[in-house]
């Protein structure tokens, strides 16, 4: 609670849940009070409504990128971006809010809040370097998670072709991911290129100096659709990375 409160005090953005109050009860229990929000999580929306069409996905992805970009500008990594932590607001203003900064940290203050050997974050949205105990973690891990979320928004399934946790960890470590059009043949080649790995399959999306494809091939993130302002989305994704 103290970590999350400290982080949220630093961030004020429409796309990020706002801290209202923070304190400690007489019995020593710490508490947080957040703004009241009405809506459903992205996870629930995907479970109930299936994949998004690009024009509906764009406002959510762009808003997420805006919020993450501000957090990164403040030197803060979220480290657990996933559909459960994205709330789609009933009002639509803004389209979504990013929740749960409980695993976040400052980039200038490396730390370890879990025991050695414990996985930090949610594997289905985890960049490969997060499974390596001594690997450096930076902003690209969050951008990677946005890419994995985007793939799920467009397809309704995980980017990793795994049936159980053992297979999942193997996929993450080896960088084995699905191509967009193998799951959704009606998707445009432009959108598939955005969500493809940078070298066509030889390496994971985000390892060392490699940029995440959501950023690296962001020029046409969505299908050719007059409702989409691709230039604006490109600017937002650029700021996020």
């Amino acid at each position: 609670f103290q970590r999350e409160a400290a982080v949220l005090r630093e961030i004020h953005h429409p796309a990020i849940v706002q801290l209202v109050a923070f304190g400690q009860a007489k019995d020593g229990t710490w508490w947080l009070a957040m703004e009241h929000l009405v809506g459903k999580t992205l996870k629930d929306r995907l479970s109930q409504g299936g994949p998004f069409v690009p024009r509906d996905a764009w406002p959510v992805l762009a808003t997420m990128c805006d919020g993450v970009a501000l957090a990164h500008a403040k030197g803060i990594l979220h480290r657990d971006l996933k559909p459960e932590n994205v709330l789609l607001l009933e009002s639509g203003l803004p389209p979504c809010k990013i929740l749960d900064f409980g695993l976040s940290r400052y980039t200038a203050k490396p730390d370890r809040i879990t025991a050695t050997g414990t996985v930090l974050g949610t594997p289905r949205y985890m960049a490969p370097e997060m499974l390596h105990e001594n690997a450096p973690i930076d902003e690209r891990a969050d951008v990677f998670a946005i890419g994995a979320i985007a793939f799920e928004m467009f397809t309704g399934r995980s980017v990793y072709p795994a049936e159980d946790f053992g297979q999942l960890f193997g996929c993450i470590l080896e960088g084995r991911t699905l191509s967009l059009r193998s799951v959704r043949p009606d998707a445009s080649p432009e959108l598939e290129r955005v969500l493809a790995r940078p070298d066509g399959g030889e390496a994971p999306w985000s390892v060392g100096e490699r940029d995440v494809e959501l950023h690296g091939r962001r020029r046409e993130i969505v299908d050719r659709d007059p409702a989409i302002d691709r230039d604006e989305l490109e600017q937002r994704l650029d700021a996020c990375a």
Side-chain angles (χ1 to χ4, degrees), residues 9-20:
R9 282 173 175 168
E10 296 284 332
I11 307 175
H12 299 282
H13 190 280
I16 295 175
V17 64
Q18 295 300 294
L19 177 69
V20 175

Side-chain angles (χ1 to χ4, degrees), residues 52-70:
F52 284 68
V53 296
R55 80 162 55 85
D56 293 337
W58 138 243
V60 177
L61 287 171
T63 303
M64 287 176 58
C65 288
D66 282 348
V68 173
L70 178 68

Side-chain angles (χ1 to χ4, degrees), residues 114-180:
T114 55
T116 299
T118 300
V119 174
L120 182 68
T122 303
R124 281 175 55 181
Y125 312 96
M126 184 179 292
E129 62 267 28
M130 294 186 73
L131 288 183
H132 296 277
E133 182 176 346
N134 297 317
I137 307 299
D138 60 23
E139 291 87 348
R140 287 169 293 185
D142 282 347
V143 184
F144 182 98
I146 293 175
I149 292 170
F151 186 96
E152 190 165 335
M153 289 176 70
F154 291 126
T155 67
R157 63 160 297 165
S158 171
V159 70
Y160 292 117
E163 301 297 330
D164 56 44
F165 275 106
Q167 292 180 14
L168 177 58
F169 281 100
C171 288
I172 296 171
L173 289 169
E174 297 171 13
R176 286 187 281 116
T177 59
L178 294 167
S179 66
L180 178 65

Side-chain angles (χ1 to χ4, degrees), residues 3-241:
R3 173 188 298 270
E4 187 167 9
V7 166
L8 290 176
R9 282 173 175 168
E10 296 284 332
I11 307 175
H12 299 282
H13 190 280
I16 295 175
V17 64
Q18 295 300 294
L19 177 69
V20 175
F22 166 67
Q24 189 174 25
K26 292 181 179 179
D27 64 0
T29 303
W30 290 96
W31 55 268
L32 290 173
M34 304 292 194
E35 64 177 317
H36 177 68
L37 300 171
V38 179
K40 67 173 62 175
T41 66
L42 179 56
K43 178 182 179 180
D44 288 340
R45 160 60 183 80
L46 286 166
S47 296
Q48 298 165 9
F52 284 68
V53 296
R55 80 162 55 85
D56 293 337
W58 138 243
V60 177
L61 287 171
T63 303
M64 287 176 58
C65 288
D66 282 348
V68 173
L70 178 68
H72 289 177
K74 296 281 188 178
I76 295 168
L77 307 181
H78 187 285
R79 298 199 293 183
D80 196 23
L81 292 170
K82 56 185 177 181
E84 295 96 312
N85 287 339
V86 178
L87 187 73
L88 306 180
L89 297 186
E90 188 175 285
S91 67
L93 300 171
C96 68
K97 290 265 189 178
I98 300 170
L99 312 176
D100 194 354
F101 280 74
L103 293 182
S104 62
R105 74 162 174 84
Y106 291 91
T107 55
K109 299 178 181 178
D111 63 359
R112 179 168 295 280
I113 62 173
T114 55
T116 299
T118 300
V119 174
L120 182 68
T122 303
R124 281 175 55 181
Y125 312 96
M126 184 179 292
E129 62 267 28
M130 294 186 73
L131 288 183
H132 296 277
E133 182 176 346
N134 297 317
I137 307 299
D138 60 23
E139 291 87 348
R140 287 169 293 185
D142 282 347
V143 184
F144 182 98
I146 293 175
I149 292 170
F151 186 96
E152 190 165 335
M153 289 176 70
F154 291 126
T155 67
R157 63 160 297 165
S158 171
V159 70
Y160 292 117
E163 301 297 330
D164 56 44
F165 275 106
Q167 292 180 14
L168 177 58
F169 281 100
C171 288
I172 296 171
L173 289 169
E174 297 171 13
R176 286 187 281 116
T177 59
L178 294 167
S179 66
L180 178 65
R181 298 181 79 192
S182 71
V183 182
R184 188 165 174 174
D186 64 320
S188 71
E190 291 84 2
L191 183 56
E192 182 173 53
R193 281 197 297 271
V194 170
L195 297 183
R197 288 174 294 173
D199 56 7
E202 295 300 321
W205 279 352
S206 176
V207 177
E209 75 285 352
R210 194 180 299 282
D211 285 337
V212 181
E213 275 300 278
L214 184 61
H215 168 63
R217 289 183 181 171
R218 63 190 181 278
R219 293 181 181 176
E220 294 196 45
I221 178 69
V222 292
D223 291 316
R224 300 182 184 279
D225 186 328
I228 304 299
D229 186 334
R230 290 189 294 276
D231 290 339
E232 181 182 357
L233 181 55
E234 179 175 346
Q235 292 174 0
R236 294 188 186 207
L237 290 171
D238 191 34
C240 183

